Amino acid sequence: AQSVTQPDIHITVSEGASLELRCNYSYGATPYLFWYVQSPGQGLQLLLKYFSGDTLVQGIKGFEAEFKRSQSSFNLRKPSVHWSDAAEYFCAVVNPSVNAGKSTFGDGTTLTVKP
Amino acid sequence: EPEVTQTPSHQVTQMGQEVILRCVPISNHLYFYWYRQILGQKVEFLVSFYNNEISEKSEIFDDQFSVERPDGSNFTLKIRSTKLEDSAMYFCASSRMGQGNQPQHFGDGTRLSIL
C-alpha cells in the first residue's frame, strides 16, 4: 500500500528565509505526487504536482518541488518565505495505475513564520 | 475558476442523528471523492465514486456511511447514526478523469460537530 511520510511536524522559519519541507513516499513505482496547503479552517489548495518528466516542478505562490527517485522524496521549497505562507502543508500521492485513484496524504507539516 | 462547493460550512448534530453533507462538484468532472480530517490529524480517504457507483472505499466507510449523486449536480455523504468520533472536517473532491494526473479539486469542507 502506498504511504507518505512528512518527517517534520512543525517548522519555524523567519520571514525572508528559505524553506524546505520534506516528503518521502513508499510505493512500488513512481506515484503521482502533490503538495497542498491548508490555511486554518480552510480547504486544501493545490500548490504543485508531479506526474513525469522534469523532476523540478514549479507551483503557485513561488513554491517548487523536486522529485528524487533514488530517495523516494518530493521535497517542497521556497527561496524566501512570506508571513502569509504560514499554514499546514500536506504531501499526497496517487497510484497512477488505479482508476479513480484516491489521494493518500502525509501527516502534514505546520509552518510558522517569524517576523 | 470553477470550484467545488460544500454546504453547510458547519453542521452541529446530536449523537445518533442522521446527517447529510452536500457537495457540488465542478460541472464537467466525472469522479467524486469524500475525505475526512479529524482535528489535528491528516486527511483520510473515505470513498470514491464514478458512474453512479462506489469505486473504492476505506475501512472507515462502514455501513453507517452512504454516498449518492441524486441529480446531475449534487454529491452527498450521509451518516446514518452519528457517533462522537464522526466529528471531523469532511472534504469533497472531484476530478475530470480518474487517472491520477487529473488533480482532485477540493472544496472548503464541512465541519461536523457531534454533541
Side-chain angles (χ1 to χ4, degrees), chain A residues 30-33 49-57 67 69 74 96, chain B residues 101:
Chain A
T30 300
Y32 294 141
L33 296 154
K49 56 190 182 289
Y50 173 79
F51 300 140
S52 64
D54 193 344
T55 56
L56 184 63
V57 293
F67 167 63
R69 185 191 308 274
F74 188 57
Chain B
N101 62 358

Side-chain angles (χ1 to χ4, degrees), chain A residues 32 38 51 100-101 103 106-107, chain B residues 35 37 42 45 56 98 100-101 104:
Chain A
Y32 294 141
Q38 183 183 34
F51 300 140
S103 295
D107 287 335
Chain B
Y35 294 83
Q37 184 184 30
K42 68 178 166 185
F45 169 77
E56 183 181 359
N101 62 358
Q104 294 169 23

Side-chain angles (χ1 to χ4, degrees), chain A residues 2-113:
Chain A
Q2 61 206 44
S3 67
V4 180
T5 302
Q6 292 180 246
D8 305 303
I9 297 172
H10 195 170
I11 283 185
T12 299
V13 299
S14 298
E15 190 168 16
S18 64
L19 170 71
E20 182 169 31
L21 302 182
R22 295 184 290 165
C23 172
N24 294 95
Y25 65 88
S26 173
Y27 179 63
T30 300
Y32 294 141
L33 296 154
F34 305 83
W35 274 100
Y36 292 88
V37 61
Q38 183 183 34
S39 297
Q42 300 298 308
L44 297 162
Q45 183 181 24
L46 179 67
L47 286 175
L48 47 75
K49 56 190 182 289
Y50 173 79
F51 300 140
S52 64
D54 193 344
T55 56
L56 184 63
V57 293
Q58 303 297 319
I60 62 171
K61 305 185 179 189
F63 285 93
E64 66 178 27
E66 185 171 12
F67 167 63
K68 292 185 177 179
R69 185 191 308 274
S70 60
Q71 299 177 19
S72 297
S73 69
F74 188 57
N75 294 348
L76 182 71
R77 300 195 294 247
K78 186 169 185 178
S80 178
V81 168
H82 188 262
W83 65 266
S84 60
D85 293 323
E88 184 90 10
Y89 290 81
F90 292 96
C91 181
V93 303
V94 173
N95 182 341
S97 303
V98 174
N99 196 31
K102 65 187 178 189
S103 295
T104 299
F105 288 83
D107 287 335
T109 297
T110 301
L111 174 65
T112 299
V113 180

Side-chain angles (χ1 to χ4, degrees), chain B residues 12-112:
Chain B
V12 182
T13 301
Q14 292 287 330
M15 186 173 59
Q17 296 297 304
E18 174 183 286
V19 66
I20 297 176
L21 308 182
R22 301 182 191 280
C23 170
V24 178
I26 295 173
S27 62
N28 64 347
H29 285 190
L30 302 175
Y31 294 80
F32 314 110
Y33 308 81
W34 283 102
Y35 294 83
R36 80 170 186 192
Q37 184 184 30
I38 295 172
L39 186 63
Q41 299 185 22
K42 68 178 166 185
V43 179
E44 301 173 289
F45 169 77
L46 291 178
V47 65
S48 58
F49 189 87
Y50 168 70
N51 199 25
N52 281 319
E53 59 183 31
I54 290 174
S55 300
E56 183 181 359
K57 59 183 180 180
S58 71
E59 60 275 10
I60 302 169
F61 194 88
D62 61 22
D63 292 345
Q64 293 300 310
F65 291 87
S66 62
V67 290
E68 192 178 28
R69 188 151 163 84
D71 52 43
S73 59
N74 290 283
F75 179 52
T76 61
L77 174 69
K78 182 194 293 186
I79 308 176
R80 243 177 293 282
S81 177
T82 50
K83 303 187 282 285
L84 292 176
E85 54 264 39
D86 294 327
S87 294
M89 181 77 97
Y90 288 81
F91 292 106
C92 174
S94 69
S95 64
R96 195 166 62 85
M97 301 292 287
Q99 292 84 2
N101 62 358
Q102 298 292 322
Q104 294 169 23
H105 296 253
F106 285 81
D108 284 340
T110 293
R111 179 165 299 285
L112 178 62

